[in-house]
């Protein structure tokens, strides 16, 4: 019986162990593209450039580009058995990997823990073109390079560079390993690492930036050319033909793998393989230059907040309560006759005013401040655009307008605004007017005008002039004192 339970337990343990197997150190897939996002520009000399669309490039065009690369840079392209290469400073492309959210796809597969939330940045390294003559094998891993060697940095150099980066990181307090402990963890020679630390044979600039490589492969005519990966004793082969066959859209293929993974391209039977190479890294503040803003006409939020606060604390400003009107500085598009929803996408100065009002807990909304001129003169607020031009004759204006909220313009001390305070009490149907004070000196940048035929004893023209404004509520002094007394009693 005990053996039965032991087998059951071991089976469960095997299931847990199987689920804990590390996933491959790479990820791959396809990304839909359009022709306008796959144009390559490449340098052909001083003040000259070539252009090619990588989705429609023919074998002849790609062969011509390979020959040009080898002629222009014989040091980099020193053999017909190696891929032709254009470095980052020699190319530009309309393909934008970050705009296509390639980093988000890679993040979900390669990164775990706290790193899965850190920002990522892709840096173009080069463009490589392979053909049937290219013969690429896995490079040998060397633990050290000879002193004075002009070759690529060794794996030991990379480890030393990564150790320095980790220790200098702002969260280095979370990394307490000494250099000796670091060597023990990764199976390195502490003596050799200390010698390189002290002599500084290689500078940080010699170490490739980042922790992973990202390859973007364009869909050219090709037979063979599978992408090969190796990590330790494990190897993987990514068949490009299978990747492209699984998608119904025009796409590029991508492959991302860590720096401890070796990469090669299997022998190409015919055609060309075009690969755009990126380095993937965690950007720092030094990697992202800050723009210098011209200070002219920049709005000072603090001074605006102080100004509105002092205005509201002045007992002579709208003592009976009312509204403060801020004319809009920008024009907006509305999908309906209502303007209320515009408040959710204000911009520039308008957005700053709204933010300040909200920070002061002052209720505000977007409304149209209308002035009726010509027949009976009064002012009112509306939430929607009013257009009476389609009416034959307007006899009862208040009913036609839907009994709007009447307002009366007042000055800074509550006195009637002589320029704007025109009220025909006979036309107001006994409605009381709420005081409103214009804070901005300019009229609104978003305004309306419509005219209509007013009927009555004699026919005449009426005009409606509307300015879209931010309307802020100002409670009366009596209400403010009442609320203050309630808070004190509570």
């Amino acid at each position: 019986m005990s053996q039965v339970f032991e087998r059951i337990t071991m089976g469960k343990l095997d299931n847990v162990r199987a689920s804990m197997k590390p996933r491959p150190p790479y990820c791959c897939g396809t990304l839909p593209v359009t022709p306008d996002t796959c144009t390559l520009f490449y340098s052909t000399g001083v003040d000259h450039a070539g252009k090619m669309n990588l989705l429609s490039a023919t074998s002849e065009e790609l062969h011509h580009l390979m020959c040009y690369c080898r002629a222009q840079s014989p040091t980099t392209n020193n053999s017909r058995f190696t891929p032709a290469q254009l470095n980052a400073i020699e190319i530009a492309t309309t393909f934008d990997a970050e705009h296509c959210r390639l980093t988000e796809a890679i993040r979900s597969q390669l990164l775990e823990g706290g790193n899965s939330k850190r920002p990522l940045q892709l840096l173009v390294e080069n463009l490589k073109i392979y053909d049937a003559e290219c013969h690429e094998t896995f490079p040998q891993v060397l633990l050290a390079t000879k002193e004075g060697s002009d070759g690529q940095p060794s794996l030991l150099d990379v480890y030393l560079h990564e150790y320095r980066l980790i220790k200098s990181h702002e969260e280095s307090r979370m990394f307490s390993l000494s250099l000796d402990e670091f060597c023990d963890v990764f199976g390195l020679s502490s003596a050799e690492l200390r010698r390189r630390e002290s002599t500084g044979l290689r500078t940080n600039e010699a170490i490739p930036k980042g922790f992973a490589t990202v390859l973007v492969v364009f869909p050219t005519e090709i037979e063979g050319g599978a992408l090969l990966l190796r990590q330790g004793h494990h190897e993987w082969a990514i068949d490009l033909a299978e990747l492209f066959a699984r998608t119904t859209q025009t796409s590029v293929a991508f492959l991302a793998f860590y720096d401890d993974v070796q990469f090669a391209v299997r022998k190409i039977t015919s055609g060309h393989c075009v690969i755009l190479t990126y380095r993937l890294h965690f950007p720092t503040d030094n990697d992202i230059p800050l723009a210098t803003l011209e200070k002219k006409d920049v709005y000072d939020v603090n001074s605006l907040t102080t100004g509105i606060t002092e205005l509201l604390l002045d007992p002579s400003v709208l003592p009976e309560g009312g509204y403060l009107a801020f004319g809009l500085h920008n024009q907006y598009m509305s999908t309906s006759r209502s303007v209320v929803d515009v408040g959710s996408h204000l911009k520039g100065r308008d957005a700053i005013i709204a933010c300040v009002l909200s920070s002061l807990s002052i209720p505000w909304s977007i409304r149209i401040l209308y002035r009726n001129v010509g027949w009976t003169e009064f002012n009112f607020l509306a939430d929607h655009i009013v257009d009476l031009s389609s009416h034959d004759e307007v006899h009862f204006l208040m009913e036609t307008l839907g009994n709007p909220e009447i307002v009366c313009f007042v000055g800074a001390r509550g006195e009637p605004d002589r320029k704007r305070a025109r009220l025909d009490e006979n036309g107001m149907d006994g409605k009381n007017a709420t005081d409103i004070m214009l804070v901005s000196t300019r009229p609104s940048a978003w305004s309306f005008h419509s005219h209509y035929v007013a009927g009555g004893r004699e026919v005449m023209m009426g005009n409606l002039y509307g300015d879209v404004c931010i309307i802020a509520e100002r409670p009366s002094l009596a209400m403010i004192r009442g609320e203050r007394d309630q808070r004190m009693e509570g």
Side-chain angles (χ1 to χ4, degrees):
M1 182 67 71
S2 60
Q3 293 180 350
V4 174
F5 283 115
E6 184 177 353
R7 285 197 299 269
I8 294 175
T9 303
M10 288 303 298
K12 294 179 179 178
L13 185 59
D14 290 339
N15 292 336
V16 174
R17 288 172 177 171
S19 64
M20 292 173 60
K21 285 184 179 180
R23 55 188 176 187
Y26 73 92
C27 66
C28 61
T30 55
L31 186 68
V33 292
T34 55
D36 60 311
T37 61
C38 294
T39 302
L40 171 69
F41 300 91
Y42 56 94
S43 173
T44 59
V46 180
D47 298 330
H48 292 83
K51 178 183 176 182
M52 178 184 298
N53 192 295
L54 295 175
L55 288 185
S56 58
T58 63
S59 295
E60 291 75 15
E61 290 174 326
L62 293 174
H63 177 72
H64 176 75
L65 180 59
M66 289 189 71
C67 296
Y68 170 77
C69 293
R70 293 194 169 114
Q72 286 294 109
S73 182
T75 303
T76 304
N77 307 278
N78 55 8
S79 172
R80 63 188 179 89
F81 300 112
T82 60
Q85 176 176 314
L86 288 169
N87 294 323
I89 61 174
E90 300 173 299
I91 62 173
T93 175
T94 55
F95 179 77
D96 189 341
E98 293 187 347
H99 177 73
C100 296
R101 302 179 69 178
L102 182 55
T103 54
E104 298 304 314
I106 296 171
R107 180 198 306 277
S108 64
Q109 294 297 317
L110 284 189
L111 303 181
E112 296 109 350
N115 286 334
S116 64
K117 298 180 181 179
R118 293 176 64 182
L120 294 173
Q121 187 177 31
L122 286 169
L123 300 175
V124 177
E125 190 172 45
N126 56 56
L127 180 84
K128 289 186 177 180
I129 308 172
Y130 298 77
D131 63 4
E133 293 186 340
C134 295
H135 180 67
E136 191 174 53
T137 59
F138 287 113
Q140 294 183 352
V141 178
L142 302 176
L143 291 183
T145 54
K146 294 181 180 180
E147 293 188 19
S149 171
D150 294 329
Q152 292 296 317
S154 71
L155 189 60
L156 196 60
D157 292 315
V158 175
Y159 277 129
L160 179 58
H161 177 64
E162 291 300 321
Y163 178 78
R164 289 170 177 165
L165 284 180
I166 295 173
K167 294 296 285 186
S168 64
H169 193 265
E170 61 180 1
E171 296 178 357
S172 59
R173 62 183 183 277
M174 303 295 293
F175 185 84
S176 58
L177 291 180
S178 65
L179 186 59
D180 290 333
E181 292 170 331
F182 181 82
C183 293
D184 290 340
V185 170
F186 290 97
L188 306 174
S189 169
S190 60
E192 178 66 15
L193 206 59
R194 284 189 180 280
R195 185 180 69 81
R196 288 180 172 268
E197 176 81 18
S198 60
T199 56
L201 292 178
R202 292 190 177 273
T203 60
N204 288 351
E205 287 75 10
I207 307 298
K209 192 171 188 176
F211 62 90
T213 297
V214 179
L215 307 179
V216 175
V217 186
F218 293 88
T220 55
E221 294 182 4
I222 182 176
E223 291 184 7
L227 307 182
L228 306 176
L229 298 176
R230 175 192 289 172
Q231 184 188 54
H233 300 292
H234 301 281
E235 293 187 3
W236 300 269
I238 292 91
D239 191 328
L240 294 175
E242 289 184 4
L243 278 180
F244 288 125
R246 292 173 191 157
T247 178
T248 57
Q249 298 176 282
T250 303
S251 304
V252 296
F254 67 87
L255 171 65
F257 51 90
Y258 288 117
D259 282 349
D260 60 345
V261 177
Q262 296 174 291
F263 167 75
V265 176
R266 184 172 285 168
K267 178 69 176 176
I268 295 175
T269 306
S270 65
H272 296 81
C273 180
V274 180
I275 300 179
L276 185 60
T277 305
Y278 293 86
R279 292 292 297 165
L280 182 66
H281 78 116
F282 298 118
T284 63
D285 292 339
N286 295 330
D287 296 318
I288 305 175
L290 296 177
T292 302
L293 295 176
E294 178 63 38
K295 296 297 183 181
K296 183 179 180 180
D297 296 332
V298 174
Y299 300 108
D300 187 348
V301 176
N302 293 331
S303 63
L304 180 60
T305 304
T306 302
I308 293 179
T309 301
E310 292 178 350
L311 185 66
L312 294 176
L313 292 177
D314 190 339
S316 62
V317 175
L318 298 174
E320 302 300 324
Y323 297 112
L324 299 175
F326 300 84
L328 293 184
H329 191 70
N330 301 284
Q331 293 186 345
Y332 301 89
M333 293 294 294
S334 179
T335 57
S336 64
R337 301 187 70 86
S338 175
V339 297
V340 176
D341 293 340
V342 174
S344 61
H345 53 271
L346 296 175
K347 56 188 177 183
R349 189 195 73 172
D350 304 332
I352 293 176
I353 293 173
C355 288
V356 170
L357 293 173
S358 296
S359 68
L360 296 174
S361 299
I362 300 174
W364 63 272
S365 60
I366 302 297
R367 304 180 73 180
I368 307 176
L369 178 55
Y370 274 107
R371 292 173 292 123
N372 185 70
V373 179
W375 178 25
T376 177
E377 297 193 358
F378 62 93
N379 316 297
F380 64 94
L381 290 174
D383 297 332
H384 58 280
I385 301 171
V386 177
D387 185 5
L388 302 180
S389 58
S390 60
H391 290 66
D392 294 333
E393 284 188 8
V394 177
H395 295 277
F396 303 99
L397 184 57
M398 284 297 173
E399 293 182 7
T400 305
L401 293 174
N403 296 313
E405 182 178 6
I406 307 299
V407 293
C408 176
F409 289 103
V410 296
R413 299 300 174 186
E415 75 281 4
D417 188 332
R418 295 180 180 179
K419 293 182 180 179
R420 304 177 181 87
R422 298 177 180 177
L423 288 178
D424 186 346
E425 296 184 357
N426 294 327
M428 291 171 52
D429 294 341
K431 291 181 175 292
N432 293 324
T434 303
D435 291 342
I436 188 169
M437 186 177 75
L438 288 177
V439 179
S440 52
T441 56
R442 287 184 175 183
S444 175
W446 190 15
S447 59
F448 305 98
H449 171 230
S450 65
H451 54 269
Y452 60 93
V453 177
R457 295 180 180 177
E458 57 183 23
V459 177
M460 60 184 303
M461 295 299 298
N463 293 272
L464 283 175
Y465 298 93
D467 291 297
V468 185
C469 300
I470 298 176
I471 304 297
E473 298 181 17
R474 166 73 154 100
S476 65
L477 292 179
M479 185 179 298
I480 295 175
R481 294 190 184 102
E483 292 178 353
R484 182 184 59 190
D485 293 342
Q486 289 181 0
R487 287 196 299 266
M488 293 178 64
E489 292 176 358

